[in-house]
């Protein structure tokens, strides 16, 4: 889409490269491609994600890349008429609270990204998703990222005690002392009917040992997805992966 290309910041040249640090990709590229290989009878889906970047991002005019957002969203709504914005508006309004010193409190070596978008492409449809990073509100209010994420979900339109059972399970998992080392980075939603949308909380585990990967806490959300943990522990999951690799060679 044309609106994507014109919202990727300044085109780099030999004399100038935009200094805005993108959280989305490690090497700083403006677009990240991915594939959903599908399950059962569903077909694979091509996906990509972008962070809208203004021409004056990371300058004195727009140090936190906030000026591009409204124009980009307006263009996106026109390009995708079936887009639903109720949750987009709610979470944007909730997370934009940066306080008086929010941006000054961010580590100078850390990123300043607050939102990016992703798109799932099928033969007949394009589904948009939005990803929100809670750290500015968390810093401004001296609260944890996790607490801010939980608050945002609990007061979202259409949220109720009856349809937040999964959040209750996740809360038990995240409050377990064994999960204390996890870092909660962002929240993602589908820009569709909020009652059909997924809510995805992304967290990071910096431990890279096999035991940490096979941990009941990190990879199975405690005991709530015990089948994965058991498959890791008894080796059947590893054997299945190795068989798949051998078959593909």
């Amino acid at each position: 889409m044309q609106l994507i290309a014109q919202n990727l910041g300044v085109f780099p040249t030999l004399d100038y490269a935009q200094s805005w640090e993108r959280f989305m990709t490690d090497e700083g590229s403006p677009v990240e491609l991915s594939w959903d290989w599908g399950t059962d009878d569903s077909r694979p889906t091509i996906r990509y994600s972008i962070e809208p970047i203004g021409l004056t991002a990371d300058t004195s005019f727009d140090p936190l890349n906030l000026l591009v957002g409204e124009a980009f969203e307006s263009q996106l709504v026109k390009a995708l008429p079936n887009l639903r914005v109720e949750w987009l508006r709610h979470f944007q309004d909730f997370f934009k609270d940066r306080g008086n010193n929010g941006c000054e409190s961010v580590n100078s070596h850390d990123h300043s990204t607050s939102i990016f978008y992703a798109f799932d492409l099928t033969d007949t449809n394009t589904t948009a998703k939005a990803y929100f990073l809670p750290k500015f509100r968390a810093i401004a209010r001296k609260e944890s990222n996790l607490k801010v994420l939980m608050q945002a979900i609990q007061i979202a339109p259409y949220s109720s005690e009856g349809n937040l059972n999964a959040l209750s399970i996740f809360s038990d998992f995240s409050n377990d002392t064994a999960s204390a080392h996890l870092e909660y980075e962002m929240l993602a939603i589908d820009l569709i009917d909020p009652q059909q949308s997924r809510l995805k909380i992304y967290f990071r585990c910096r431990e890279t040992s096999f035991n940490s990967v096979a941990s009941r806490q990190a990879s199975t959300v405690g005991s709530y997805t015990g089948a994965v943990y058991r498959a890791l522990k008894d080796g059947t999951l590893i054997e299945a992966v190795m068989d798949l690799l051998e078959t593909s060679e």
Side-chain angles (χ1 to χ4, degrees), residues 165-177:
N165 292 332
L167 186 66
S168 177
I169 293 172
F170 186 80
S171 178
D172 291 341
F173 158 74
S174 59
N175 288 318
D176 192 306
T177 55

Side-chain angles (χ1 to χ4, degrees), residues 4-221:
I4 301 298
Q6 64 190 22
N7 285 285
L8 297 179
V10 177
F11 187 82
T13 66
L14 292 176
D15 300 320
Y16 178 80
Q18 188 162 33
S19 58
W20 180 258
E21 294 287 340
R22 297 175 175 88
F23 171 75
M24 188 184 67
T25 56
D26 293 332
E27 82 287 2
S29 59
V31 179
E32 181 179 59
L33 300 175
S34 65
W35 287 262
D36 178 353
W37 295 109
T39 56
D40 298 327
D41 296 328
S42 64
R43 299 185 62 182
T45 302
I46 297 174
R47 308 180 298 189
Y48 69 94
S49 54
I50 65 112
E51 179 184 358
I53 301 173
L55 297 179
T56 57
D58 202 33
T59 70
S60 58
F61 295 104
D62 187 17
L64 294 177
N65 189 37
L66 300 179
L67 298 182
V68 69
E70 186 174 341
F72 175 80
E73 290 150 21
S74 177
Q75 297 171 60
L76 189 61
V77 169
K78 292 179 181 178
L80 300 175
N82 294 326
L83 194 81
R84 295 285 293 269
V85 298
E86 298 99 312
W87 268 9
L88 177 65
R89 297 283 183 260
H90 162 71
F91 289 113
Q92 278 183 322
D93 290 343
F94 188 86
F95 291 125
K96 74 180 181 182
D97 179 0
R98 298 166 181 258
N100 294 326
N101 301 310
C103 62
E104 297 175 6
S105 303
V106 177
N107 187 317
S108 60
H109 298 292
D110 198 3
H111 68 87
S112 296
T113 295
S114 58
I115 186 172
F116 60 88
Y117 295 83
F119 303 91
D120 291 356
L121 311 179
T122 67
D123 293 337
T124 59
N125 191 35
T126 298
T127 301
K129 300 174 286 188
Y131 294 73
F132 306 91
L133 290 96
K135 72 173 186 177
F136 287 104
R137 181 182 174 101
I139 291 171
R141 292 177 173 263
K142 295 181 172 58
E143 296 174 340
S144 68
N145 282 358
L146 178 62
K147 182 176 181 179
V148 169
L149 288 171
M150 291 290 194
Q151 291 171 344
I153 294 171
Q154 289 166 343
I155 65 172
Y158 306 104
S159 291
S160 66
E161 184 176 347
N163 61 18
L164 290 180
N165 292 332
L167 186 66
S168 177
I169 293 172
F170 186 80
S171 178
D172 291 341
F173 158 74
S174 59
N175 288 318
D176 192 306
T177 55
S179 301
H181 63 293
L182 301 179
E183 302 170 19
Y184 299 89
E185 295 281 3
M186 59 187 175
L187 170 72
I189 61 170
D190 304 307
L191 299 183
I192 59 175
D193 180 349
Q195 298 185 75
Q196 301 297 320
S197 173
R198 298 166 297 175
L199 282 163
K200 296 181 289 184
I201 296 176
Y202 288 76
F203 61 88
R204 184 196 305 271
C205 176
R206 294 186 182 272
E207 296 182 27
T208 57
S209 66
F210 178 79
N211 284 339
S212 71
V213 175
S215 164
R216 181 181 295 272
Q217 290 300 119
S219 62
T220 66
V221 191

